[in-house]
Amino acid sequence: MAPDIPRARLDELIAEATVDAYSEEEQRSAFAAVLHEEIETPFQTTVLGVPVTVTAITDAPGTGIAAVCRSGKHRQLIGILDLPLPDPPPAGAEWIAAYRRWNR
């Protein structure tokens, strides 16, 4: 679970991610790039009771910003806002919280 992050800090991260993006689509794309760069992968978490390794963050058509989750030979994209984070969360998880605030 991500720690509580003050709203002011989340707003700073949102401003940093979207500084040169004007439309909503440009802002979402900017967030995708930041999440890809800032979230430290790989990391372990559990999705629907199954241990998985998050190997990357990607911007996938039809899914949006998603975590690439692997379990054995299986691979699944999970929307970043639906991804349960481990405790402690990976480095960069505050960017997910900022994206969640921006996306609401």
Side-chain angles (χ1 to χ4, degrees), residues 23-75:
S23 71
E24 187 172 316
E25 182 59 27
E26 286 179 350
Q27 291 176 359
R28 191 196 60 73
S29 292
F31 258 111
V34 168
L35 290 166
H36 174 77
E37 291 295 321
E38 296 294 334
I39 297 174
E40 187 174 302
T41 56
F43 65 89
Q44 306 294 315
T45 193
T46 302
V47 176
L48 297 174
V50 177
V52 300
T53 300
V54 176
T55 59
I57 306 299
T58 188
D59 194 6
T63 302
I65 302 173
V68 179
C69 299
R70 293 193 178 274
S71 180
K73 64 179 180 175
H74 302 285
R75 176 181 171 268

